[in-house]
Amino acid sequence: MPDLLLELRSEEIPARMQRKAAGDLKKMLTDGLVEAGLTYEAAREYWTPRRLTLDVRGLTARSKDISEEIKGPSTTAPEQAVQGFLRKAGLSSIAEAHVHSDPKKGDFYVAHISKPGRAAEQIIADLVPGIIRNFPWPKSMRWGPASAKPGSLRWVRPLQSILCTFGPETEEPVVVDFEIDGIRSGNVTYGHRFLAPGEITVRRFDDYVSKLEAAKVVLDADRRKEIILADARNLAFANGLDLVEDEGLLEEVSGLVEWPVVLMGEFEQAFLAIPAEVIRLTIRANQKCFVTRPQGEGEALSNRFILTANIEATDGGKEIAHGNGKVVRARLSDALYFWTTDQGDLPDLGQLEASATKFGLDLKKPLDQRMARLDHLDVTFHAKLGTQGERVERIKRLAEELAPIVGADATLAARAAVLAKADLTTEVVGEFPELQGAMGRKYALLQGEHPSVAAAIEEHYKPQGPSDYVPSDPVSVTVALADKLDTLVGFWAIDEKPTGSKDPYALRRAALGMVRVILENKLKLSLGIAIAAAVSSALAVYEQKGKGAESRGVVAMLDSSIRDYRGTSQLLSEAGLISNLLKGGLAKASSETFGSADQEREFFDGQRLMELEASLSPLIADLLSFFHDRLKVYLRDQGARHDLIDAVITPHSDDLLQIVRRVEALGSFLDTEDGRNLLAGTKRAANILAAEEKKKTAIAQTVEPALFRQDAEKSLFAAVNQAEKQAGEAIQNEDFSAAMLALSALREPVDSFFEHVLVNDEDLAVRANRLALLARIRAATGQVADFAKIAG
């Protein structure tokens, strides 16, 4: 069967776009071929900085002939229906249609359509120009005289040639002929821009690859990566060094060269006084080079670096390495200046006293100075959420509230929260934003901060993705939770939630990060109370700034009630958590808060309470639902069944660790014979109840033993009472395995009940009583999970 070779050659394509572009080309072309009625055996895409290539094997030479019948309206149908049928069938008049008869429906029109197949070359020639014109580049450009015309060709960089051949291995392939904006397809390509720029005539993929290789072009990007990595390792080893590998940089560098040549450069030893992260990022970002370290010497770097050239130089690459070294030295000189400047005093220390006093900062310490400046400059975090200084205040207050739950030292947590954003005003982070947190940790250690405080400054950003590590130090955990929760509550309060695929503030990542921090550290934390604590922290900050309508009374009341509820593991009630907090706060509010009982009564009138509860309860409920969605994603990635997750989670579930333990216990229970049988019986009971409730059949409020007529009823009633009590006690002790064991005792009584008892008895009172007994089964199992949501 014939094979297709397509190459689109242009000026240099940005490395970050190449892999996706090659995949897009493959999908667009193969989808188009299949839609046109062709089939193929295999297709693979390739890319270099100057070309996108597609190799399609086993393509059918011609699409099949198509014969089909399109049924139309009755011969007596109105003209409008007839015209619609003609348009659908592509007929010019009703005379081209045939009349068929049906004994029941009478005569009706039928169009017999025959479409002859088309040659693959013709289909390809029609398809490729459209793909090129509509290619989904993130950015594209026009060029040359034709660019002034409307509708002229756009491409990521000027398109220079198109190679397109088609044919079987046993015959000479043909050129698929087409033209787009003056560029005509052919069987000619070109080798390396500098090393072999001449024309290359090719027939099919195999000689295309070999001739390109001879012309100093390695077509396969993965092979270029292997060459670069192997040569870099060998060159480093030959010089007594180890390569510091970087997959992201390797991917980028492989997209910058067609003929990789690995060289080594160097810089002065004095620059090694700069932190390794800064050196690595400086060399990576500016010169796309790899760093090295002495063999067996830990994390310390050497003054040698590895670069990848795109040319074989006559001097062996000495001038290329020297030129790269000059640029690296210049960049490292800047980095050294930033590093030393960050450790000195700021010139505007005199203006920072007020901020230092507010946060308890020591202006003799460089990092404290940077935090004071961050607050003094009123650097905006978000237009609706205030400044970075205000945000740090909120995080500090929230960290103090969360510290006892996490088991962290509240003083250390508060200190870490205060310094967490201080490195944002440092010179190094200004140049390399990727180092925020990491530089804060280094500067904190240099000024003698507690190791847990220093670690929290870096780790409070973690995890930043599903593969990122989760902090375990209690101080880091506390500040990480406080930072993410403040972000989520803030953006929920201003109604800037993620919508569809859009999440500009990475709120899904923040929520998933909280889920991982809580679960992987096995924290027992009520999210509802934590959200309310975040609201309380925000109210306190805005009340201090005079930005909130809430008075000091609301702030004190919320703080007091949160302290009262902390650690109780109380789930949200149907009335909403805020209602409980408000009531608790009122009872505990001191006369100092309000000045007098009259002021207290005046402020906390019914309307004000309703307004506050109405504004906060939906926020908590909505955020909990958002956390539930992230938790489901996490658990499914861990292999948990989606139906078990749905069966366990309720709108008020705010203890993530408890949810996970319930899912685990439920899964283990349902893997047993008792579990499977109880599930079947419980679902049968639930289905009967649902059907009768839908019909508004009377169901007794309570089960009346005097109405029992069968021993099976009595046995089930006794078993339900026992199981409900034991399961409830086990759940109270959070022993979910014991709760499942208690429910397993229902298996035999439930089976016996359905075997011997007719639920819909003719006696309405007996029927209502038996339905009430089924409701008790549903209620008993419902303590653990909603069995109706479980598949099976």
Side-chain angles (χ1 to χ4, degrees), residues 59-177:
L59 187 65
T60 47
R62 186 179 182 83
S63 62
K64 294 180 179 179
D65 296 339
I66 297 175
S67 296
E68 61 177 329
E69 290 186 355
I70 300 177
K71 187 177 179 180
S74 167
T75 54
T76 60
E79 182 63 21
Q80 186 176 1
V82 172
Q83 292 301 318
F85 163 65
L86 294 178
R87 287 192 297 271
K88 178 181 178 182
L91 304 180
S92 57
S93 73
I94 198 64
E96 297 177 6
H98 295 75
V99 176
H100 288 201
S101 296
D102 184 280
K104 295 181 179 179
K105 298 181 179 180
D107 294 343
F108 58 93
Y109 293 113
V110 174
H112 294 270
I113 307 298
S114 296
K115 293 182 180 179
R118 299 168 65 204
E121 298 98 304
Q122 183 182 354
I123 292 172
I124 295 165
D126 291 343
L127 185 61
V128 175
I131 291 173
I132 294 174
R133 286 196 179 278
N134 298 298
F135 203 81
W137 292 110
K139 292 183 179 180
S140 55
M141 61 179 288
R142 296 181 294 177
W143 64 92
S147 64
K149 301 177 183 177
S152 60
L153 177 64
R154 300 180 68 92
W155 198 246
V156 62
R157 296 291 185 269
L159 188 62
Q160 296 177 330
S161 68
I162 301 171
L163 182 152
C164 191
T165 66
F166 179 73
E169 291 185 7
T170 56
E171 299 177 13
E172 188 70 18
V174 299
V175 171
V176 179
D177 185 45

Side-chain angles (χ1 to χ4, degrees), residues 582-596:
L582 290 173
K583 293 172 185 175
L586 276 173
K588 294 178 178 297
S590 67
S591 59
E592 293 180 1
T593 303
F594 302 99
S596 71

Side-chain angles (χ1 to χ4, degrees), residues 314-363:
T314 55
D315 64 352
K318 292 181 180 178
E319 280 301 314
I320 296 174
H322 178 70
N324 276 266
K326 288 173 64 177
V327 178
V328 166
R329 290 185 200 100
R331 298 300 187 188
L332 289 178
S333 294
D334 292 341
L336 182 60
Y337 169 78
F338 298 147
W339 168 245
T340 54
T341 300
D342 285 341
Q343 296 173 62
D345 289 338
L346 292 172
D348 55 350
L349 273 180
Q351 303 174 34
L352 307 180
E353 291 289 347
S355 294
T357 301
K358 176 169 53 175
F359 288 102
L361 299 168
D362 182 355
L363 291 183

